[in-house]
Amino acid sequence: MKNIIIFGAPGSGKGTYSDEIVKRYNMGHISTGDVLRAEIKGGTELGKIAQGYIDNGQLIPDELMIDILAKTYDSMPAGKGVIFDGFPRTIAQAEALKKMLAERKHDMGLMIELIVDEETLLARLLNRAKEQGRADDNEVTIKKRFEVYHNQTAPLSAWFEKEGIRNTFTWKGSKDVMIGEIFDFLDKVNG
Ligand code: AMP
């Protein structure tokens, strides 16, 4: 399987659909949010730095993130394809990802963009707060994360379009429909 970048606003389902894709196509999975939460849980230096940013709904600085991503990528089993979930989130991260992969003679593969209306996103995140108790799933931090997404991350959509790898999937009210559309697309690409 080619590499996949899954892209979308907080609450758009990147983690959920990544899990489904990983199961079906037996790929590697890098969730930068999960990597950071594990560092926080482990009480590492990196975790201490990351916590302040995450709690405020802000992005961890690019240089740090790019370094974490390269290390995590190099620790994945080779040859299976990796799904990047939550990375890149800025143009600088996207440029760095492209360069990092090119240096390893790999390419970015495909980008899957999840398009979900903001009302649905907010409802999902508030529901996740109840179910999973993530510290950054409270209304104040969610608003900040949406703002960061619009200002820093959403412009990446056009960057991927220019790279010729952007594929959009729009929420129509059903998770099964969304997964079906994504699988149909990936099956076709996979031959
Ligand atoms: P997520 O689980 O993907 O929603 O990420 C949770 C939080 O981790 C984000 O709100 C950011 O504070 C931080 N984070 C995750 N991925 C990145 C990234 N690629 N760049 C900067 N910060 C990130």
Side-chain angles (χ1 to χ4, degrees):
M1 187 58 163
K2 292 170 184 257
N3 287 326
I4 297 174
I5 295 160
I6 193 155
F7 182 83
S12 57
K14 297 188 294 293
T16 304
Y17 299 122
S18 292
D19 289 343
E20 300 285 341
I21 292 168
V22 163
K23 256 191 272 161
R24 183 174 170 103
Y25 301 100
N26 184 31
M27 302 177 67
H29 181 195
I30 300 177
S31 157
T32 44
D34 284 351
V35 170
L36 295 169
R37 282 185 287 276
E39 295 282 338
I40 293 173
K41 210 169 164 201
T44 65
E45 275 312 303
L46 172 60
K48 281 178 200 148
I49 297 169
Q51 178 135 41
Y53 291 100
I54 293 183
D55 287 351
N56 286 316
Q58 289 170 326
L59 298 183
I60 277 73
D62 284 336
E63 268 162 59
L64 196 56
M65 249 1 268
I66 289 163
D67 196 39
I68 295 167
L69 196 272
K71 282 199 189 110
T72 312
Y73 185 74
D74 287 336
S75 73
M76 304 296 288
K80 292 205 315 189
V82 166
I83 181 157
F84 297 97
D85 160 10
F87 190 102
R89 268 175 151 99
T90 63
I91 303 272
Q93 289 182 12
E95 299 281 5
L97 176 65
K98 189 177 169 187
K99 182 163 166 266
M100 188 273 283
L101 291 170
E103 282 165 3
R104 289 156 178 76
K105 308 251 180 306
H106 300 169
D107 62 29
M108 289 193 292
L110 308 159
M111 181 268 214
I112 289 180
E113 178 168 354
L114 306 170
I115 299 177
V116 183
D117 60 279
E118 198 148 306
E119 199 184 322
T120 305
L121 294 174
L122 183 62
R124 282 187 193 165
L125 291 170
L126 290 173
N127 189 46
R128 190 169 73 183
K130 275 191 221 136
E131 286 176 357
Q132 297 177 12
R134 249 178 70 168
D136 59 346
D137 283 343
N138 61 76
E139 205 152 351
V140 174
T141 312
I142 289 169
K143 289 267 155 66
K144 180 73 197 161
R145 283 157 66 206
F146 282 164
E147 203 182 298
V148 166
Y149 178 76
H150 287 302
N151 294 337
Q152 295 178 256
T153 305
L156 262 179
S157 188
W159 187 91
F160 284 112
E161 181 71 40
K162 249 190 267 156
E163 290 290 320
I165 62 169
R166 174 174 176 252
N167 304 277
T168 58
F169 296 85
T170 303
W171 174 250
K172 297 181 199 81
S174 157
K175 182 180 151 185
D176 288 345
V177 169
M178 195 80 160
I179 291 173
E181 287 179 2
I182 293 173
F183 283 176
D184 284 351
F185 165 72
L186 291 176
D187 284 351
K188 246 183 249 152
V189 172
N190 244 356

